[in-house]
Every structure is written in C-alpha cells, then in structure tokens.
Amino acid sequence: MHGFYRWSAKWWPGLIPLAILWVVAAWVSTIPLETDLTARSTAALKNTILDKSQITVAGRDVTFSAEAFSEEGRRSAVSSVEASPGVRLVNDETRLVAEAKPFVWVAERDNVRVTLWGTAPLPASKARIVEAARAALSGTEVSDRMGLKRGAPPRFDAAAVLLLDQVAKLKEGKAVISDANVSLSGMARDLGGREAIAAALKNLPEGFTVAANDIKAPAYVFQANKDPVTNTLTLSGYVPDNNIHAALASAAGRKFGNEKIVDNLKASIGAPGGFAAAVTTALGALSRLSTGTLVVSDREVKLSGDALYEVAADQIRASLARELPQGWQAKAEVSVKPAAAPVDASVCQQLFAQNLTKGRIRFETSSASINVDSAGLLDRLVEIAMRCPNVRVEIAGHTDGDGDAAFNQSLSEKRALAVEEYLVKAGLPADRFSTIGYGSTQPIATNDTDEGKLQNRRIEFVVRQAP
C-alpha cells in the first residue's frame, strides 16, 4: 500500500495540466457551437412575424422568447427553432402580443408635427404607415409613438393610409380609427379642404364607417371695395365657380355703371348656401355708398362706408339684413357723407348729364317699376339735386319704338313719375320737380338694333332756373 502511494505521488500532478486542457477544449468547442446554434435559430425565424424576439443558447439547448401576433404564428416560430440542426431542446418562453379592445389608432397634427400614436397590428403595418405619413406630409416632422397589438379590423392599413392623406389637408386636427369607426376633426388648410375630405371618406375600405366628421373650413371670404377717388370697384376673394363668377361680375357692372371694375376673384369650392344671392344683395347696398367696403365671410355680411344722404343710410341699414337669404347675418356700419357745396344751374345740368350718360335708370320689362340695380345711380342723382336747391328739374321719360305708340307714351310718363317719387322719398321737395313723357317720339339712336333701342329707353333730367 505504501508503495502505491509512493507511485501515485509521482504521476498525479500530471493530471492537473490534462484537466486544464480538457476544460479549455470544452470551452473552446462550446462557444462556436452556441454561436452556430444562435445563428441557425435566428435564421429559422427569418420569415416569421414576431416582436421582441430573443434567442439564448446554452450548449445545445435554446431559450426562445418573443411576442407573436397569432397563435398559429407563435407555434410556427417555435417549431422552426426546434427544427434547426443541432438544437436538442427549446425552452419556449413565447407569448401572444396583447389584444387591444377597442383597437385605436390616431394621427394628430399641429403646427409643428404629425404624431402617430395608438396601436398598429404588425411591424410591417407600422413601417408602412410611417412611410405613408412622411410621403403625404412631405416636409412635416412625423413622430412615431405607435405600439403593436392584436385586434385590428380587416383592411386597417388601407384605412390608415387614406386618413393620412386627409390629415395632410388639415392645418391642425386629428384622425382616429376605433375598431372600424373613423372620426376626423380639425381645421382644413385651404378652402375646399372640408369638401375634399368628405368626398375622400366615401372611399374608405369596406367595413369602415364615418362616426364623426367635424372638419371646419377657413372663412370663405368675398370682398368689394368702392373707391370714389379712382372711381374704381375692386372685387377680391372667392366665388364657387365660373358661372357664379360671371353672374356676379355682370351684376356689379349693372349696379356700378359709373365705376371701373377690377376683378381679382378666384373660384373655389366651400361657399355657404345662398352665397350668390347674398353677395348680389350686398353689392346693391354697396353701390349706394359714396365710399365703402364689403366683406362677406361665411354667412356674415359686413358693410361699412358713407351713404350719400341720411334717408339712404337709414334704408341701407334696415333693408340689408331683411333682404339677405335666411340664415345670413348683416352688420351695417353706415354713416352719412358730409354735404357737398352747392352748385349753380349749369353745373347741376352738367352733373346730371354725366351720370345719366355713364349709367341709365333701369326698369322692369314693360313696367314702371324701377329695377334694384339702379339704386346707386338714383342716389347719386338725389345728391346732385340736393346740391342744386335753387333750380327746378324736369324729369323726361322716353321709350324705344317697339309696340303701340299710346302704350309707349303712357309708359314713358309713368316711368318719369316713378323717378320723381324716388327723389321725393329721399327728402327732396316735390314742387321742385315736374315730369313729362315723350314715348318713342324723340329717339337718339336707331330702333333697328338692340343697342339702339337700349339707348332710346332712357330718363333725362332737364334743369330749369327756378322762377
């Protein structure tokens, strides 16, 4: 026995280096094996859709953790790792991504950025939505705060992309998907944006419905400025379409016959209901002012300026709101122009002639009813008569040559009387005026053309010195 101990004492120290070599060899061979299994397991998951995927290898045993978006996908991923060459055992720590009830997604825009938050159904969906946001809102910062959850309605991606296109039309606001319900709110960037968004929402994917659409539009503004110094009427702002544009320009031409019209109007959708009727009425009120500004914003008409005399100011204030379409509001800040200096008979005649040459008093067809387009011209004639307190004025009516001579004679007399009545209601003494009708007996142009007939249908003012 003592011999054995003496013998073993000679060789056992040699085991220590052997043990060290064995440990080193095992360690050196295990690291490449684990690295190889990690790469193989990761490669096996290449075509799977997972979130927070993690592979940990100890020898030939693999611990696999991940969040899957379906039970089928979870099982398929685990099977793929188990089938990787060299894997002995898989410690399955996978689980399903949480389900969102309701499934909510939001795109919110302010003056600086667009923020995406809520949930997306898949990593690929999230990436697609972020890319679509950057494309639709080029130049605007996109902040991605979306999480990933299950429970999205079918065709969610298509709905989100369509809504991002609508968010691009907003100055500020947000789009929300809650399950299959869509809501939008905010302020459109441009006129017509609200209508364009409403039209686009009709193309939502099947199954989606609009729960709320509270998009406000910028004020739809039409403006007109009357400048007596340059004798110019300037139109600016928006009109709904080319037809209404033409109709309003024509109405301005009739109502402001003495003024040069500068037309800077542009066509745009988004006009409130009754727009054309309201603007036509408001232009009539503006035509009665010496100087003034008209602003039509949505369903509100603001008129400011100076009337030519007190009665006209009262009439404009009272009639504007009454004559606007239902649902429209009027704000008339109308004062009275200071009275101009009196003039003698010759200047008075010259002023009457100038105004009646540039414009004409219009009547309804075959009638003595004065057309509303003539109010501005008549008010200027009233002002001239007020500057001529020491003269008498004969108001003469004329017709064209069409029709029965007796009818034309009577019509010319009635039209002259209608003009006299307007002047008297304005506050002028009735005894300063007389009326006469000449029918078609004193033409100033041929009755063979429409233009000639138009010139012959006229009212003339003849100034006579008061006795």
Side-chain angles (χ1 to χ4, degrees), residues 17-32:
L18 290 174
I20 293 173
L21 290 173
W22 181 84
V23 171
V24 171
W27 180 73
V28 170
S29 62
T30 300
I31 291 177

Side-chain angles (χ1 to χ4, degrees), residues 218-224 238 270-283 293-304 320-321 324-333:
Y220 196 95
V221 177
F222 171 98
Q223 292 181 292
Y238 297 93
F275 174 85
V279 170
T280 301
T281 296
L283 285 173
T293 299
L294 169 67
V295 179
V296 180
S297 179
D298 290 330
R299 285 182 169 83
E300 183 179 73
V301 173
K302 294 182 179 180
L303 179 70
S304 60
L320 181 59
L324 289 174
Q326 185 175 3
W328 284 71
Q329 301 294 321
K331 292 184 178 179
E333 298 177 355

Side-chain angles (χ1 to χ4, degrees), residues 229-275:
V229 175
T230 60
N231 199 36
T232 299
L233 175 72
T234 302
L235 306 176
S236 60
Y238 297 93
V239 290
D241 55 48
N242 291 334
N243 290 334
I244 293 179
H245 186 172
L248 292 178
S250 177
R254 296 191 304 271
K255 296 175 186 295
F256 298 84
N258 284 0
E259 279 89 7
K260 174 186 176 183
I261 297 177
V262 178
D263 185 351
N264 295 325
L265 295 171
K266 299 178 181 179
S268 175
I269 60 175
F275 174 85

Side-chain angles (χ1 to χ4, degrees), residues 167-452:
V167 171
K169 299 169 187 171
L170 299 180
K171 181 179 180 181
E172 57 183 6
K174 64 181 178 180
V176 179
I177 296 176
S178 180
D179 290 334
N181 295 316
V182 169
S183 301
L184 285 102
S185 60
M187 173 66 72
R189 296 187 66 82
D190 304 307
L191 287 173
R194 176 175 56 188
E195 289 71 19
I197 290 171
L201 291 179
K202 295 178 182 179
N203 298 319
L204 280 168
E206 183 180 357
F208 285 84
T209 58
V210 178
N213 181 7
D214 187 23
I215 301 298
K216 297 177 175 59
Y220 196 95
V221 177
F222 171 98
Q223 292 181 292
N225 183 67
K226 183 179 182 182
D227 184 354
V229 175
T230 60
N231 199 36
T232 299
L233 175 72
T234 302
L235 306 176
S236 60
Y238 297 93
V239 290
D241 55 48
N242 291 334
N243 290 334
I244 293 179
H245 186 172
L248 292 178
S250 177
R254 296 191 304 271
K255 296 175 186 295
F256 298 84
N258 284 0
E259 279 89 7
K260 174 186 176 183
I261 297 177
V262 178
D263 185 351
N264 295 325
L265 295 171
K266 299 178 181 179
S268 175
I269 60 175
F275 174 85
V279 170
T280 301
T281 296
L283 285 173
L286 179 63
S287 73
R288 300 186 66 182
L289 300 182
S290 169
T291 179
T293 299
L294 169 67
V295 179
V296 180
S297 179
D298 290 330
R299 285 182 169 83
E300 183 179 73
V301 173
K302 294 182 179 180
L303 179 70
S304 60
D306 294 334
L308 294 169
Y309 53 95
E310 189 65 48
V311 173
D314 292 339
Q315 290 174 346
I316 292 168
R317 295 189 200 104
S319 64
L320 181 59
R322 184 178 64 248
E323 295 174 0
L324 289 174
Q326 185 175 3
W328 284 71
Q329 301 294 321
K331 292 184 178 179
E333 298 177 355
V334 179
S335 54
V336 180
K337 174 187 175 183
V343 294
D344 62 23
S346 61
V347 174
C348 187
Q349 181 66 74
Q350 183 180 6
L351 291 173
F352 279 133
Q354 285 177 349
N355 278 270
L356 288 170
T357 299
K358 293 178 180 178
R360 66 187 185 89
I361 300 172
R362 298 171 181 267
F363 297 87
E364 301 300 330
T365 303
S366 300
S367 168
S369 297
I370 299 174
N371 188 284
V372 293
D373 291 339
S374 297
L377 172 58
L378 283 166
D379 281 355
R380 290 193 296 276
L381 297 174
V382 169
E383 184 195 29
I384 295 169
M386 289 178 172
R387 297 180 65 185
C388 310
N390 299 318
V391 301
R392 295 179 62 84
V393 179
E394 179 184 272
I395 304 171
H398 300 268
T399 69
D400 60 32
D402 286 352
D404 180 71
F407 176 83
N408 286 337
Q409 177 62 38
S410 175
L411 181 61
S412 67
E413 293 170 359
K414 290 177 180 178
R415 286 180 170 176
L417 284 169
V419 173
E420 180 189 39
E421 182 180 359
Y422 191 99
L423 301 178
V424 171
K425 284 184 176 180
L428 291 165
D431 60 5
R432 288 185 52 199
F433 303 100
S434 62
T435 62
I436 189 171
Y438 291 98
S440 58
T441 61
Q442 296 185 6
I444 57 175
T446 178
N447 279 305
D448 295 332
T449 66
D450 291 339
E451 178 60 31

